[in-house]
Amino acid sequence: MTGPKVVIIGAGVVGAALADELSQRGWDDITVVDQGSLPAPGGSSSHAPGLVFQTNSSKTMTRLARYTVEKLAALDLDGEPCFLQVGGLEVATSPQRQAELHRRHGWATSWGLDARLLDTEACLALHPLLDPDTVLGGLYVPTDGLAKAVRAVEAQLRQAQRRGVRVLERHEVIDVVTEPAPDGSADRVVRAVITDRGRLEADLVVCCAGFWGPKVAGMVGMTLPLTPLAHQLAWTGPVPALAGQQQEARRPILRHQDADLYYRDRYDQIGIGYYGHKPMPVEVDDVLSVPAAEVMPSVLTFTEDDFAPAWKESQRLLPALGEATLESGINGLFSFTTDDFPLLGPAADVQGFWVAEAVWVTHSAGVGAAMAEWIVEGHCSSFDLHECDVNRFEPHQLTPDYVLARDCQNFVEVYDIKHPLQPMEAPRPLRTSPFQGRQAGLGAVFLEANGWERPQWYESNVSLVERRSIPRPDPWAARYWSPIVAAEAQVTRERVAMYDMTALKRLEVSGRAATAFLQEMFTGNADASIGSVAYGLLLDVEGGIRSDVTVARLGRDRYQVGANGALDLDWLTRHLPPDGSAQVRDLTAGTCCIGLWGPRARDVLAPLTRTDVSNESFKYFRGQQLAIGNVPVTALRLSYVGELGWELYTSADLGLKLWDTLWAAGQEHGIIAAGRGAFNSLRLEKGYRSFGTDMTFEHDVWEAGLGFAVRLKKESFLGREATLARQGTVRRKLSCLLVGADPGTGADGVVLGREPVYDGDRAVGYVTSAGYGYTIGRAIAYAWLPAELSEPGRQLRIGYFDRRLPATVAAEPLFDPGMARLRS
Ligand SMILES: Cc1cc2nc3c(=O)[nH]c(=O)nc-3n(C[C@H](O)[C@H](O)[C@H](O)COP(=O)(O)OP(=O)(O)OC[C@H]3O[C@@H](n4cnc5c(N)ncnc54)[C@H](O)[C@@H]3O)c2cc1C
């Protein structure tokens, strides 16, 4: 036997894919257990109709789907195919949806998926049952199709079994045994899985238990934020127009998102899936056991009344259904999550316990491959999994009420057209900074990020708009926008503004080994004088960017790390020395931060403190503890907007006092409160990257233009060897584009991110973040481009809905390349 002893819990399409992929990598001491009987043990995979639409706004999700298609299309079971590549057609029945299909076409193109926009006639040629008077057009992906989920389970398990994997059906896992980790840390480690038919020793347990996941994860004390929700699937009787159809499926799978519906053929019948009914969540403890379930645990009784609107609408879209009847239906259970992404990865504090949960059939084989690589190699380079990592959640996002509310809402919105800035509506407000009352008083328009209420702009600044010529973006880009955003950005560069930076993740790293720990984790120099601040990266062993952070040394053994999110906390915690000689603590909730930025920032600050804040005494990229009036503050001289100023941190209880003190002192200097809209515009002008949008795990520092943040002189840091090896091998580059033909063409060049970039008619890259630079007067888009197309002056085009906007590669940064403002 090679590899550790692995137990995979669940033989649905995810567990089967994982067993196959793990064994393909040479591990063979693997046991797959399932409580039901194979090949259809009774979970979601046992009755999924298997539609695989690959197009997704997420590059990773599209890539996971593509892998699934490619794998299943090459797989058969005794000569019977595991994938029917009939193509996928999404139709529009409203002008809004038609525009949305253009946006979706853009995503597909950005991620390298062949997709085509069709007129009504072409849709009918592919799917003759469609009503020509209802359909306005469509999006067609020729490689989409139908996964035969049960067959795929069996075929993948058989491959695994041929490599020595054991498969135990009718074994219910009732406990997972853990014990204290031998490394002396506070973690636990898995030892065995207890089933109703005996104990299985295990070094590694992977929970692929579908919507039972929370129950299984609960066995090791882990909270898994997903909810089983029932979703209606019905089958017609024979449709006369399909009489005699010999193939299982001939027409493309079909989506009618305007009415929350999808369709597939099955010989002379049509399967209809519906998301338009009310959410029907089920408590995982209320799911029937395999013996108690009438059909199978994941199949609930079809509630025909809920389906009535779907049936009526289906007869409108596909008039031939008027001659058919509904023959059968189920309310079938599967998992929804709070942000629509799967839950993948290792538990935070139980070594050897992993999850692969809330995965659609569409992404199943891709997830199997990604998980196998992650488990065997210790990291996954083939797919960027930052959106899927199970450790991405903030504590409030794991509360049962939050999970239930968000999962139900995501069911309701599954086919909705969502603007990139659209915030969740409920539950809100959740996290509020101490400044919230003042902000509301200034007419803040709040959006939401990670539970935080964040002002996008302040209505009280409306008078600033007068006498400024502010270009207006097109109606789509103008959602969640106001000309006040522009005025706030301009006033920041002219005078001074206060930005609420409380939502920025702050971690404290401390302990006698803190310096050595950070030196190993961080590409910059942490071992500099007290008061130093360094910008750098957290890298994985392959040199992939895990995060970009600022590290401020506040004491001999105490650092404040400005990070990006919960994954940074997880990453650092996971790498701590087990002997407790360094610790990481999340400071975010108990503290707050104001960014005081603009040419008059020093004029505001200086009279409020006895500390000398002159340029000579308080240099750029330095930090000091000081008092602002009665408020003790950690001041870091940094600015993400590219202006003179400070990030001012204090404890949450004193936040309001800090706000009021700065606000009062700032009046004579024309201070304003400014929101996230202005912030984003200013940071784009300055070329500051945003982790998760501009660069992620899949990129290295050279590609991302962040080589300056890597101190190769340091003998050792995580990712150093790979980073050195990747130097000079750059084939793609994060590049700055100016959008719109000429200066002064207005904001009619504002794109929002994820749009494809074309060289002539060839798609060559995609936009990451974008916006209007209100102080340089140009629309800006950052984009990943092939290195050979990234030289300044190169003319390209950006696909924005049905338009191609001219774009020119520009030298960056666009604003203050000499850093005069920041160092003033
Ligand atoms: C009606 C319906 C239509 C759908 N349509 C589509 C579609 O068209 N396209 C698409 O991509 N997806 C679709 N889905 C979603 C898709 O079916 C699921 O997301 C997917 O099948 C989940 O696979 P899984 O392997 O994670 O879970 P499952 O298939 O549920 O497998 C989990 C397995 O774990 C086992 N298990 C759980 N607990 C234990 C335990 N304690 N001990 C032992 N074994 C245990 C279960 O018996 C089960 O076999 C649909 C789902 C439904 C319900």
Side-chain angles (χ1 to χ4, degrees), residues 53 86-91 118-132 135 140 239 242 245 250-255 262-265 269-271 314 317-321:
F53 287 94
V86 289
L89 180 62
E90 303 183 10
V91 293
L118 305 181
D119 61 15
T120 307
E121 206 178 313
C123 291
L124 261 89
L126 284 168
H127 205 303
L129 300 192
L130 286 167
D131 177 30
V135 173
Y140 177 58
V239 179
L242 302 182
Q245 180 168 315
R250 269 183 46 203
R251 274 154 289 276
I253 54 173
L254 194 63
R255 260 183 183 166
Y262 65 79
Y263 304 89
R264 58 156 291 184
D265 306 6
Q269 297 171 293
I270 300 272
S314 297
L317 185 78
L318 306 167
L321 296 188

Side-chain angles (χ1 to χ4, degrees), residues 13-31:
V13 74
V14 176
L18 179 61
D20 183 31
E21 298 278 346
L22 271 180
S23 59
Q24 211 179 314
R25 282 169 172 76
W27 285 15
D28 58 3
D29 196 350
I30 299 171
T31 308

Side-chain angles (χ1 to χ4, degrees), residues 10 12-14 34-35 41 43-45 47-49 51 173 333-334 359 361-362:
V13 74
V14 176
D34 201 294
Q35 61 199 3
S44 310
S45 311
H47 53 71
L51 288 82
V173 174
L333 291 178
F334 74 108
V359 178
V361 172
T362 300

Side-chain angles (χ1 to χ4, degrees), residues 587-605:
L587 302 177
T588 317
T591 54
C592 58
C593 178
I594 295 173
L596 179 73
W597 293 317
R600 295 202 207 158
R602 185 176 288 117
D603 301 332
V604 176
L605 184 60

